[in-house]
Amino acid sequence: DSGVTQTPKHLITATGQRVTLRCSPRSGDLSVYWYQQSLDQGLQFLIQYYNGEERAKGNILERFSAQQFPDLHSELNLSSLELGDSALYFCASSPRDYNTDTQYFGPGTRLTVL
Amino acid sequence: QKEVEQDPGPLSVPEGAIVSLNCTYSNSAFQYFMWYRQYSRKGPELLMYTYSSGNKEDGRFTAQVDKSSKYISLFIRDSQPSDSATYLCAMSDRSGGSNYKLTFGKGTLLTVNP
């Protein structure tokens, strides 16, 4: 158990809908990273927050957004969902703002868009 | 050309075999190299973390980095059925202070048969 929690574990929804994925980092970790994992693209970095501020963006679509709250939990919002958004979404956390820090991954949320 | 290339396998070996997993990369700015293990339906977990060229050993695992060839390897000695998982290489750099992300290979699926 990495100490990172993600809810829900599974999410099934329809095209055009909006969903929110939630992540609680390890105790004391200030950085939260979101990743998308699909069979064809592998694990892709989406976005990073550090202590409430956005720090880096990767291959994140404009339909997706995220935020980190004062209690350091983070939410990833996915809107106008398409079939191709079906994937595993992972959250990871690390103590600092450095990409060289060990990132601890949560168990993931499996999103299925029908 | 993708930044990180990893043979997806699958790779099937008998118990006790030595396993060699490899990644090549094109971005010479990568300085930090990691290997993650991902069991089915779980989040990735960090196995090995290296900075410089050379070898790093941890129990049955040895990570090798050859920056001149842009090639990294993970060796698993005396492989066990519990090593059956997908192994992901990951890399990062510190260029410009703005690139706070890990770039992953697509992963190699390993099965160790009893």
Side-chain angles (χ1 to χ4, degrees), chain B residues 70-86:
Chain B
K70 297 191 182 69
Y71 188 88
I72 69 169
S73 300
L74 177 71
F75 297 96
I76 307 175
R77 289 184 299 282
D78 188 25
S79 56
Q80 303 295 309
S82 58
D83 295 328
S84 298
T86 296

Side-chain angles (χ1 to χ4, degrees), chain A residues 5-24:
Chain A
T5 60
Q6 289 186 249
T7 57
K9 286 187 178 179
H10 303 280
L11 202 48
I12 301 174
T13 188
T15 55
Q17 296 298 305
R18 173 189 168 93
V19 297
T20 298
L21 282 52
R22 182 187 169 104
C23 168
S24 292

Side-chain angles (χ1 to χ4, degrees), chain A residues 10 33 35 37 39-43 45 48 55-56 88 90 97-103 105-107 110, chain B residues 2 32 34 36 38 41-46 49 88 92-94 97-106:
Chain A
H10 303 280
Y33 306 78
Y35 291 86
Q37 187 175 41
L39 281 174
D40 56 341
Q41 293 294 322
L43 199 59
F45 168 73
Q48 179 208 358
R55 293 294 289 160
L88 269 168
F90 288 104
D97 192 17
Y98 303 147
N99 61 351
T100 54
D101 270 351
T102 298
Q103 293 184 22
F105 282 76
R110 182 175 295 276
Chain B
K2 283 190 170 290
Y32 302 90
M34 287 140 268
Y36 282 81
Q38 185 176 19
R41 301 183 179 277
K42 300 286 187 184
E45 58 174 323
L46 183 70
Y49 177 106
L88 301 151
S92 70
D93 64 40
R94 296 288 297 274
S98 63
N99 189 8
Y100 291 91
K101 69 181 181 80
L102 291 178
T103 302
F104 282 84
K106 284 196 176 181

Side-chain angles (χ1 to χ4, degrees), chain A residues 21-86:
Chain A
L21 282 52
R22 182 187 169 104
C23 168
S24 292
R26 293 187 324 150
S27 177
D29 283 358
L30 298 177
S31 271
V32 169
Y33 306 78
W34 285 98
Y35 291 86
Q36 179 192 60
Q37 187 175 41
S38 60
L39 281 174
D40 56 341
Q41 293 294 322
L43 199 59
Q44 300 270 311
F45 168 73
L46 295 178
I47 196 164
Q48 179 208 358
Y49 278 82
Y50 174 76
N51 204 19
E53 292 186 8
E54 181 185 303
R55 293 294 289 160
K57 269 187 172 180
N59 304 319
I60 188 166
L61 300 171
E62 284 192 13
R63 301 183 285 108
F64 296 0
S65 64
Q67 53 184 325
Q68 186 179 28
F69 295 86
D71 67 352
L72 300 177
H73 92 272
S74 177
E75 292 181 356
L76 179 67
N77 301 295
L78 315 176
S79 62
S80 303
L81 285 168
E82 301 175 0
L83 296 177
D85 297 327
S86 296

Side-chain angles (χ1 to χ4, degrees), chain B residues 12-26:
Chain B
S12 181
V13 302
E15 183 175 353
I18 295 174
V19 176
S20 172
L21 304 165
N22 312 293
C23 287
T24 59
Y25 62 95
S26 58

